[in-house]
Amino acid sequence: MYKLDLQKLTLLLALLAGFLTFGNSFFAGYFTQRDQLFEQTLEANRAYARKLADITDRFFLNSRRELAYAAESLSTRFDDKDWRDAQTARLKLKGDQFSRAVIISANGQIVSASPESASLVGITVNSVGATQALTLRAPLITDPYVATDGTYLLAVTHPIFAPDGSYLGYISASLFLRERNVLHELLGVHYHRDGSYLYVVDTQGNLIFHEDGQRVGQNVSSNAVVQRVLLGHEGGQRVINTLGVDMLAGYAPIQSTGWGIVAQRPTAAITAKLAELARTTLLNAVPFALFSLAVFWWLSRLISAPIRALADTAEHWGAPEAASRISTVNSWYFEVSRLKVAMLAGVSLLQQKMVALEAASMTDPLTGLRNRRGMAFALKQFDLLDQRYAAVTLDIDHFKQVNDQHGHDVGDAVLRFLAEIMRECSRPTDVLCRMGGEEFLMLLPETDASGASIAAERLLARLRQTVSPTGTPVTASIGIACSGNHASPEATFKAADEALYRAKRAGRDRIVIAAT
């Protein structure tokens, strides 16, 4: 019966171990990187959707104020045709925000319109939105509807009352949804080659804004993301959209209207880049694999030479020592199989421990932020990319009193609370660190002192408005320094610390920027 000799077994073992180790590392790295990219994309889309929702909220708030002002001015001059026309013209021309402005009397008749149109003035309206505004007699942002002239639009309305309280009608500013309107300017439409885009849905799940104008008006309420955002939720989720495309979607509600904004990117755009990276990695690994094979072959010959010599001597049965020498070889293959199993298990366990150790060495266990080692790693990345950054140092005010009055458990909860507020008030690219005790650090890449001050003020405002684990809000003092103004990271941090101490001495709960 043929048996493999030691040289072939050693070479086979080395090749198998190398292949499994490389395969495990390759696929583990691939899927880990894919999951990280997915999470980063979801968070970026969520933050983008939240930003646009806030911008849209502010637009409608300002629109309501404009209409309220016009309604107030019309309350005593409603019968003055020139004054009515002046108000609709002012609304239409002010920043060119609206597609059309009209005034409708209490009996539902259009008495003024801008742009001026003889075909509109005198018409009695009977559309859904107009009927709702006449019935409700209160400020209103309608869902999209088809107007009397067949235009698909949404309207912002405000009632007009006479000084004696009698209802005169209402003033309305409309957006034509199937034409370019102010939403395109607010939401900043960009066409990405990778298929990323955003859209807006009304309270019924109908599209009121989409990069493909032909889709405006379609109902997409079957989309799981649309269902969640219309319930008032905000977040990110992987979803198959109504066209069957796998998307990474971030979503946020528009509070003033109940609508939802969804920003999404095709999953395939990310996996395609990863696949290209995987192919490149494999091609780069081929020369090393061939070199490794040559080394393994040489090592296997070196290892097998003494054992082969022992096997050769076993052919000489007449020698007194032949039996004992051959008997020592009989258990070799079992030992080799044990070594193979142990080696593979050991490599797998070692990889797991190294990954866990590296993550633990760079993370603060209490807050989940980076520790000093993690900060040092980020600084190396900034140096490699030649990035400037702003260093923002934070220190919780009167933290010793928190520990003394509430105990160290509450003190730890306050530290975790601050870490969470820092995450919510920062960008995905910002580096958040806990330096020890109640001292924290934020590194803001490509940010000057003005931008860092805005970010810091946003953080302080959030702290003042949020109840901490102590039962009341806590405050913090902040110092800011920019790397471009100092010769080294150490000098930058020292300047930020000095600015922090000045903030403490100036009364706490404030921001001080280091002098250049």
Short mmCIF file of all heavy atoms in Angstrom, two decimals, residues 351-405:
data_model
loop_
_atom_site.label_atom_id
_atom_site.label_comp_id
_atom_site.label_asym_id
_atom_site.label_seq_id
_atom_site.Cartn_x
_atom_site.Cartn_y
_atom_site.Cartn_z
N GLN A 351 -5.63 34.66 15.87
CA GLN A 351 -6.22 35.77 15.11
C GLN A 351 -7.35 36.45 15.89
O GLN A 351 -7.45 37.67 15.94
CB GLN A 351 -6.74 35.27 13.77
CG GLN A 351 -5.64 34.92 12.77
CD GLN A 351 -6.21 34.45 11.45
OE1 GLN A 351 -7.37 34.03 11.38
NE2 GLN A 351 -5.39 34.48 10.41
N GLN A 352 -8.19 35.62 16.51
CA GLN A 352 -9.31 36.18 17.28
C GLN A 352 -8.79 37.03 18.44
O GLN A 352 -9.30 38.13 18.70
CB GLN A 352 -10.20 35.06 17.81
CG GLN A 352 -10.92 34.27 16.71
CD GLN A 352 -11.70 33.10 17.28
OE1 GLN A 352 -11.93 33.01 18.47
NE2 GLN A 352 -12.12 32.20 16.41
N LYS A 353 -7.80 36.51 19.16
CA LYS A 353 -7.27 37.25 20.30
C LYS A 353 -6.57 38.53 19.87
O LYS A 353 -6.67 39.56 20.54
CB LYS A 353 -6.31 36.37 21.09
CG LYS A 353 -7.00 35.24 21.86
CD LYS A 353 -6.02 34.48 22.72
CE LYS A 353 -6.72 33.41 23.56
NZ LYS A 353 -5.76 32.66 24.41
N MET A 354 -5.86 38.49 18.75
CA MET A 354 -5.18 39.68 18.27
C MET A 354 -6.17 40.77 17.89
O MET A 354 -5.97 41.95 18.19
CB MET A 354 -4.28 39.34 17.07
CG MET A 354 -3.04 38.53 17.43
SD MET A 354 -2.05 38.12 15.98
CE MET A 354 -1.56 39.74 15.44
N VAL A 355 -7.27 40.37 17.20
CA VAL A 355 -8.28 41.36 16.81
C VAL A 355 -8.92 41.97 18.05
O VAL A 355 -9.10 43.19 18.16
CB VAL A 355 -9.36 40.69 15.93
CG1 VAL A 355 -10.53 41.65 15.71
CG2 VAL A 355 -8.76 40.29 14.58
N ALA A 356 -9.28 41.09 19.04
CA ALA A 356 -9.89 41.59 20.27
C ALA A 356 -8.93 42.48 21.05
O ALA A 356 -9.32 43.51 21.59
CB ALA A 356 -10.36 40.41 21.13
N LEU A 357 -7.66 42.08 21.11
CA LEU A 357 -6.67 42.85 21.85
C LEU A 357 -6.43 44.22 21.21
O LEU A 357 -6.32 45.23 21.91
CB LEU A 357 -5.35 42.06 21.92
CG LEU A 357 -4.21 42.72 22.70
CD1 LEU A 357 -4.61 42.93 24.16
CD2 LEU A 357 -2.94 41.87 22.61
N GLU A 358 -6.37 44.24 19.88
CA GLU A 358 -6.14 45.50 19.20
C GLU A 358 -7.31 46.46 19.41
O GLU A 358 -7.11 47.65 19.67
CB GLU A 358 -5.95 45.26 17.70
CG GLU A 358 -5.65 46.53 16.92
CD GLU A 358 -5.40 46.26 15.44
OE1 GLU A 358 -5.51 45.10 15.03
OE2 GLU A 358 -5.10 47.23 14.73
N ALA A 359 -8.57 45.92 19.33
CA ALA A 359 -9.74 46.77 19.55
C ALA A 359 -9.77 47.29 20.98
O ALA A 359 -10.03 48.46 21.24
CB ALA A 359 -11.01 45.99 19.24
N ALA A 360 -9.46 46.39 21.96
CA ALA A 360 -9.49 46.79 23.37
C ALA A 360 -8.40 47.81 23.68
O ALA A 360 -8.59 48.71 24.50
CB ALA A 360 -9.33 45.56 24.26
N SER A 361 -7.26 47.69 23.01
CA SER A 361 -6.15 48.59 23.32
C SER A 361 -6.40 50.01 22.83
O SER A 361 -5.73 50.93 23.27
CB SER A 361 -4.85 48.04 22.68
OG SER A 361 -4.93 48.12 21.27
N MET A 362 -7.35 50.20 21.92
CA MET A 362 -7.59 51.52 21.35
C MET A 362 -8.91 52.13 21.83
O MET A 362 -9.28 53.21 21.37
CB MET A 362 -7.59 51.44 19.82
CG MET A 362 -6.26 51.00 19.23
SD MET A 362 -6.29 50.92 17.43
CE MET A 362 -6.49 52.64 17.01
N THR A 363 -9.64 51.43 22.71
CA THR A 363 -10.97 51.89 23.10
C THR A 363 -11.06 52.06 24.61
O THR A 363 -10.59 51.20 25.36
CB THR A 363 -12.04 50.89 22.62
OG1 THR A 363 -11.92 50.71 21.22
CG2 THR A 363 -13.44 51.39 22.96
N ASP A 364 -11.70 53.13 25.04
CA ASP A 364 -11.97 53.34 26.46
C ASP A 364 -13.15 52.44 26.85
O ASP A 364 -14.24 52.57 26.28
CB ASP A 364 -12.32 54.81 26.71
CG ASP A 364 -12.77 55.04 28.13
OD1 ASP A 364 -12.02 54.68 29.06
OD2 ASP A 364 -13.89 55.55 28.32
N PRO A 365 -12.99 51.53 27.80
CA PRO A 365 -14.05 50.57 28.11
C PRO A 365 -15.32 51.19 28.69
O PRO A 365 -16.39 50.64 28.54
CB PRO A 365 -13.37 49.62 29.13
CG PRO A 365 -12.27 50.42 29.73
CD PRO A 365 -11.78 51.32 28.64
N LEU A 366 -15.21 52.34 29.35
CA LEU A 366 -16.38 52.94 29.98
C LEU A 366 -17.28 53.64 28.97
O LEU A 366 -18.49 53.44 28.97
CB LEU A 366 -15.94 53.93 31.06
CG LEU A 366 -17.07 54.69 31.78
CD1 LEU A 366 -17.97 53.72 32.52
CD2 LEU A 366 -16.51 55.74 32.71
N THR A 367 -16.68 54.44 28.08
CA THR A 367 -17.48 55.27 27.18
C THR A 367 -17.55 54.75 25.76
O THR A 367 -18.42 55.16 25.00
CB THR A 367 -16.88 56.69 27.13
OG1 THR A 367 -15.55 56.62 26.61
CG2 THR A 367 -16.87 57.32 28.52
N GLY A 368 -16.66 53.83 25.38
CA GLY A 368 -16.62 53.36 24.01
C GLY A 368 -15.91 54.31 23.07
O GLY A 368 -15.83 54.04 21.86
N LEU A 369 -15.41 55.43 23.58
CA LEU A 369 -14.63 56.35 22.74
C LEU A 369 -13.18 55.86 22.65
O LEU A 369 -12.78 54.93 23.33
CB LEU A 369 -14.65 57.76 23.34
CG LEU A 369 -16.02 58.39 23.58
CD1 LEU A 369 -15.86 59.79 24.14
CD2 LEU A 369 -16.84 58.41 22.30
N ARG A 370 -12.42 56.51 21.79
CA ARG A 370 -11.00 56.14 21.69
C ARG A 370 -10.24 56.58 22.94
O ARG A 370 -10.58 57.61 23.56
CB ARG A 370 -10.37 56.79 20.46
CG ARG A 370 -10.96 56.32 19.14
CD ARG A 370 -10.01 56.65 18.01
NE ARG A 370 -10.62 56.43 16.71
CZ ARG A 370 -9.95 56.36 15.58
NH1 ARG A 370 -8.62 56.46 15.59
NH2 ARG A 370 -10.55 56.18 14.42
N ASN A 371 -9.22 55.78 23.28
CA ASN A 371 -8.34 56.17 24.36
C ASN A 371 -7.11 56.88 23.78
O ASN A 371 -7.09 57.23 22.59
CB ASN A 371 -7.96 54.96 25.23
CG ASN A 371 -7.30 53.85 24.39
OD1 ASN A 371 -6.83 54.11 23.26
ND2 ASN A 371 -7.29 52.65 24.90
N ARG A 372 -6.09 57.07 24.58
CA ARG A 372 -4.90 57.77 24.08
C ARG A 372 -4.23 57.00 22.94
O ARG A 372 -3.70 57.60 22.00
CB ARG A 372 -3.90 57.97 25.22
CG ARG A 372 -4.38 58.98 26.26
CD ARG A 372 -3.37 59.18 27.38
NE ARG A 372 -3.84 60.14 28.36
CZ ARG A 372 -3.65 61.44 28.28
NH1 ARG A 372 -2.97 61.93 27.25
NH2 ARG A 372 -4.11 62.25 29.22
N ARG A 373 -4.24 55.67 23.01
CA ARG A 373 -3.65 54.88 21.92
C ARG A 373 -4.45 55.08 20.63
O ARG A 373 -3.87 55.23 19.55
CB ARG A 373 -3.64 53.40 22.32
CG ARG A 373 -2.94 52.49 21.32
CD ARG A 373 -3.09 51.03 21.75
NE ARG A 373 -2.41 50.14 20.82
CZ ARG A 373 -1.17 49.71 20.95
NH1 ARG A 373 -0.47 50.12 22.00
NH2 ARG A 373 -0.63 48.89 20.08
N GLY A 374 -5.77 55.09 20.76
CA GLY A 374 -6.59 55.33 19.59
C GLY A 374 -6.40 56.73 19.03
O GLY A 374 -6.43 56.95 17.82
N MET A 375 -6.19 57.71 19.94
CA MET A 375 -5.92 59.08 19.48
C MET A 375 -4.60 59.14 18.71
O MET A 375 -4.50 59.78 17.66
CB MET A 375 -5.87 60.01 20.69
CG MET A 375 -5.54 61.46 20.33
SD MET A 375 -4.98 62.41 21.76
CE MET A 375 -3.38 61.64 22.08
N ALA A 376 -3.58 58.43 19.23
CA ALA A 376 -2.28 58.44 18.55
C ALA A 376 -2.39 57.83 17.16
O ALA A 376 -1.77 58.31 16.20
CB ALA A 376 -1.26 57.66 19.39
N PHE A 377 -3.22 56.78 17.04
CA PHE A 377 -3.42 56.16 15.72
C PHE A 377 -4.09 57.16 14.76
O PHE A 377 -3.70 57.27 13.58
CB PHE A 377 -4.29 54.91 15.88
CG PHE A 377 -4.58 54.22 14.59
CD1 PHE A 377 -3.65 53.37 14.00
CD2 PHE A 377 -5.79 54.40 13.94
CE1 PHE A 377 -3.91 52.73 12.81
CE2 PHE A 377 -6.07 53.77 12.75
CZ PHE A 377 -5.13 52.93 12.19
N ALA A 378 -5.09 57.92 15.25
CA ALA A 378 -5.75 58.90 14.41
C ALA A 378 -4.79 60.00 13.97
O ALA A 378 -4.83 60.46 12.82
CB ALA A 378 -6.94 59.50 15.17
N LEU A 379 -3.91 60.43 14.87
CA LEU A 379 -2.94 61.47 14.51
C LEU A 379 -1.99 60.98 13.42
O LEU A 379 -1.60 61.75 12.53
CB LEU A 379 -2.14 61.88 15.75
CG LEU A 379 -2.93 62.66 16.81
CD1 LEU A 379 -2.08 62.90 18.05
CD2 LEU A 379 -3.42 63.99 16.24
N LYS A 380 -1.61 59.70 13.47
CA LYS A 380 -0.76 59.16 12.41
C LYS A 380 -1.49 59.21 11.06
O LYS A 380 -0.90 59.51 10.03
CB LYS A 380 -0.37 57.72 12.74
CG LYS A 380 0.63 57.61 13.90
CD LYS A 380 1.01 56.16 14.15
CE LYS A 380 2.01 56.04 15.29
NZ LYS A 380 2.36 54.63 15.58
N GLN A 381 -2.80 58.88 11.10
CA GLN A 381 -3.58 58.93 9.86
C GLN A 381 -3.64 60.35 9.33
O GLN A 381 -3.49 60.57 8.12
CB GLN A 381 -5.00 58.41 10.13
CG GLN A 381 -5.08 56.95 10.56
CD GLN A 381 -4.68 56.03 9.41
OE1 GLN A 381 -3.51 55.67 9.26
NE2 GLN A 381 -5.62 55.64 8.61
N PHE A 382 -3.85 61.35 10.21
CA PHE A 382 -3.88 62.74 9.77
C PHE A 382 -2.55 63.12 9.15
O PHE A 382 -2.49 63.84 8.14
CB PHE A 382 -4.17 63.65 10.96
CG PHE A 382 -5.58 63.56 11.47
CD1 PHE A 382 -5.91 64.06 12.72
CD2 PHE A 382 -6.58 62.99 10.70
CE1 PHE A 382 -7.21 63.99 13.19
CE2 PHE A 382 -7.87 62.90 11.17
CZ PHE A 382 -8.19 63.40 12.42
N ASP A 383 -1.45 62.65 9.76
CA ASP A 383 -0.12 62.99 9.27
C ASP A 383 0.12 62.38 7.89
O ASP A 383 0.68 63.03 7.01
CB ASP A 383 0.93 62.52 10.28
CG ASP A 383 2.33 62.96 9.87
OD1 ASP A 383 2.54 64.17 9.69
OD2 ASP A 383 3.20 62.09 9.71
N LEU A 384 -0.31 61.12 7.71
CA LEU A 384 -0.13 60.45 6.43
C LEU A 384 -0.91 61.15 5.32
O LEU A 384 -0.45 61.26 4.18
CB LEU A 384 -0.57 58.99 6.53
CG LEU A 384 0.36 58.05 7.33
CD1 LEU A 384 -0.28 56.68 7.47
CD2 LEU A 384 1.72 57.93 6.65
N LEU A 385 -2.12 61.64 5.66
CA LEU A 385 -2.96 62.31 4.67
C LEU A 385 -2.69 63.81 4.60
O LEU A 385 -3.35 64.52 3.84
CB LEU A 385 -4.43 62.07 5.02
CG LEU A 385 -4.90 60.61 5.00
CD1 LEU A 385 -6.34 60.51 5.48
CD2 LEU A 385 -4.78 60.03 3.59
N ASP A 386 -1.74 64.30 5.43
CA ASP A 386 -1.41 65.72 5.49
C ASP A 386 -2.66 66.56 5.76
O ASP A 386 -2.92 67.58 5.12
CB ASP A 386 -0.77 66.17 4.16
CG ASP A 386 -0.04 67.50 4.34
OD1 ASP A 386 0.36 67.83 5.48
OD2 ASP A 386 0.10 68.23 3.34
N GLN A 387 -3.45 66.09 6.73
CA GLN A 387 -4.69 66.77 7.10
C GLN A 387 -4.46 67.68 8.30
O GLN A 387 -3.86 67.26 9.29
CB GLN A 387 -5.79 65.76 7.45
CG GLN A 387 -6.47 65.14 6.26
CD GLN A 387 -7.63 64.28 6.69
OE1 GLN A 387 -7.49 63.42 7.55
NE2 GLN A 387 -8.78 64.49 6.10
N ARG A 388 -4.98 68.89 8.21
CA ARG A 388 -5.03 69.74 9.39
C ARG A 388 -6.29 69.43 10.18
O ARG A 388 -7.26 68.89 9.64
CB ARG A 388 -5.00 71.21 8.99
CG ARG A 388 -3.67 71.61 8.36
CD ARG A 388 -3.59 73.11 8.19
NE ARG A 388 -2.28 73.54 7.72
CZ ARG A 388 -1.92 74.80 7.59
NH1 ARG A 388 -2.76 75.77 7.93
NH2 ARG A 388 -0.71 75.12 7.14
N TYR A 389 -6.29 69.79 11.42
CA TYR A 389 -7.44 69.46 12.27
C TYR A 389 -7.54 70.49 13.39
O TYR A 389 -6.60 71.22 13.69
CB TYR A 389 -7.29 68.05 12.86
CG TYR A 389 -6.02 67.86 13.66
CD1 TYR A 389 -5.98 68.15 15.03
CD2 TYR A 389 -4.84 67.41 13.04
CE1 TYR A 389 -4.82 67.99 15.75
CE2 TYR A 389 -3.66 67.25 13.76
CZ TYR A 389 -3.66 67.54 15.12
OH TYR A 389 -2.52 67.39 15.84
N ALA A 390 -8.74 70.51 13.98
CA ALA A 390 -8.96 71.33 15.17
C ALA A 390 -9.06 70.41 16.37
O ALA A 390 -9.75 69.40 16.32
CB ALA A 390 -10.24 72.15 15.02
N ALA A 391 -8.33 70.73 17.44
CA ALA A 391 -8.39 69.97 18.69
C ALA A 391 -9.34 70.68 19.65
O ALA A 391 -9.15 71.85 19.96
CB ALA A 391 -7.00 69.85 19.31
N VAL A 392 -10.40 69.96 20.07
CA VAL A 392 -11.40 70.52 20.99
C VAL A 392 -11.32 69.74 22.29
O VAL A 392 -11.65 68.55 22.33
CB VAL A 392 -12.81 70.41 20.38
CG1 VAL A 392 -13.84 70.99 21.33
CG2 VAL A 392 -12.85 71.11 19.03
N THR A 393 -10.83 70.36 23.36
CA THR A 393 -10.73 69.69 24.66
C THR A 393 -11.94 70.05 25.50
O THR A 393 -12.39 71.20 25.51
CB THR A 393 -9.44 70.12 25.41
OG1 THR A 393 -9.46 71.54 25.57
CG2 THR A 393 -8.21 69.71 24.62
N LEU A 394 -12.52 69.03 26.18
CA LEU A 394 -13.71 69.22 27.00
C LEU A 394 -13.43 68.75 28.42
O LEU A 394 -12.70 67.77 28.63
CB LEU A 394 -14.90 68.42 26.46
CG LEU A 394 -15.42 68.68 25.06
CD1 LEU A 394 -14.63 67.89 24.05
CD2 LEU A 394 -16.89 68.29 24.97
N ASP A 395 -14.04 69.41 29.36
CA ASP A 395 -13.92 69.01 30.76
C ASP A 395 -15.27 69.30 31.43
O ASP A 395 -15.80 70.41 31.35
CB ASP A 395 -12.81 69.81 31.45
CG ASP A 395 -12.51 69.26 32.84
OD1 ASP A 395 -13.28 69.55 33.76
OD2 ASP A 395 -11.52 68.54 32.98
N ILE A 396 -15.85 68.26 32.05
CA ILE A 396 -17.15 68.43 32.70
C ILE A 396 -16.97 69.36 33.91
O ILE A 396 -16.10 69.16 34.74
CB ILE A 396 -17.72 67.08 33.15
CG1 ILE A 396 -17.91 66.16 31.92
CG2 ILE A 396 -19.04 67.25 33.88
CD1 ILE A 396 -18.36 64.77 32.27
N ASP A 397 -17.84 70.36 33.98
CA ASP A 397 -17.76 71.32 35.08
C ASP A 397 -18.23 70.68 36.39
O ASP A 397 -19.27 70.01 36.42
CB ASP A 397 -18.61 72.55 34.78
CG ASP A 397 -18.09 73.32 33.58
OD1 ASP A 397 -16.85 73.29 33.35
OD2 ASP A 397 -18.90 73.95 32.88
N HIS A 398 -17.48 70.92 37.46
CA HIS A 398 -17.85 70.46 38.81
C HIS A 398 -18.10 68.96 38.86
O HIS A 398 -19.02 68.49 39.51
CB HIS A 398 -19.10 71.20 39.29
CG HIS A 398 -18.96 72.71 39.26
ND1 HIS A 398 -18.05 73.40 40.03
CD2 HIS A 398 -19.63 73.64 38.50
CE1 HIS A 398 -18.16 74.70 39.76
NE2 HIS A 398 -19.11 74.87 38.84
N PHE A 399 -17.28 68.19 38.15
CA PHE A 399 -17.52 66.75 38.13
C PHE A 399 -17.26 66.12 39.49
O PHE A 399 -17.91 65.13 39.85
CB PHE A 399 -16.61 66.11 37.06
CG PHE A 399 -16.87 64.64 36.88
CD1 PHE A 399 -18.03 64.21 36.25
CD2 PHE A 399 -15.97 63.69 37.33
CE1 PHE A 399 -18.28 62.86 36.08
CE2 PHE A 399 -16.22 62.34 37.17
CZ PHE A 399 -17.35 61.93 36.56
N LYS A 400 -16.35 66.68 40.26
CA LYS A 400 -16.09 66.13 41.59
C LYS A 400 -17.34 66.20 42.45
O LYS A 400 -17.64 65.30 43.24
CB LYS A 400 -14.93 66.88 42.25
CG LYS A 400 -14.51 66.31 43.61
CD LYS A 400 -13.32 67.07 44.17
CE LYS A 400 -12.85 66.44 45.47
NZ LYS A 400 -13.91 66.45 46.50
N GLN A 401 -18.10 67.28 42.29
CA GLN A 401 -19.34 67.40 43.05
C GLN A 401 -20.35 66.33 42.65
O GLN A 401 -21.13 65.85 43.48
CB GLN A 401 -19.94 68.78 42.85
CG GLN A 401 -19.08 69.92 43.41
CD GLN A 401 -19.72 71.28 43.18
OE1 GLN A 401 -20.89 71.36 42.79
NE2 GLN A 401 -18.96 72.34 43.43
N VAL A 402 -20.34 65.96 41.36
CA VAL A 402 -21.25 64.89 40.90
C VAL A 402 -20.92 63.60 41.64
O VAL A 402 -21.81 62.90 42.16
CB VAL A 402 -21.13 64.70 39.38
CG1 VAL A 402 -21.92 63.46 38.94
CG2 VAL A 402 -21.62 65.93 38.65
N ASN A 403 -19.62 63.24 41.69
CA ASN A 403 -19.22 62.01 42.40
C ASN A 403 -19.52 62.11 43.89
O ASN A 403 -19.99 61.15 44.51
CB ASN A 403 -17.74 61.75 42.17
CG ASN A 403 -17.45 61.19 40.80
OD1 ASN A 403 -18.28 60.48 40.24
ND2 ASN A 403 -16.30 61.49 40.24
N ASP A 404 -19.26 63.28 44.48
CA ASP A 404 -19.47 63.42 45.92
C ASP A 404 -20.95 63.35 46.29
O ASP A 404 -21.33 62.76 47.31
CB ASP A 404 -18.88 64.75 46.40
CG ASP A 404 -17.36 64.77 46.30
OD1 ASP A 404 -16.77 63.67 46.18
OD2 ASP A 404 -16.76 65.86 46.33
N GLN A 405 -21.80 63.96 45.47
CA GLN A 405 -23.22 64.03 45.81
C GLN A 405 -24.01 62.81 45.36
O GLN A 405 -24.98 62.43 46.01
CB GLN A 405 -23.84 65.29 45.18
CG GLN A 405 -23.27 66.59 45.74
CD GLN A 405 -23.86 67.81 45.01
OE1 GLN A 405 -24.79 67.68 44.23
NE2 GLN A 405 -23.31 68.99 45.31
#
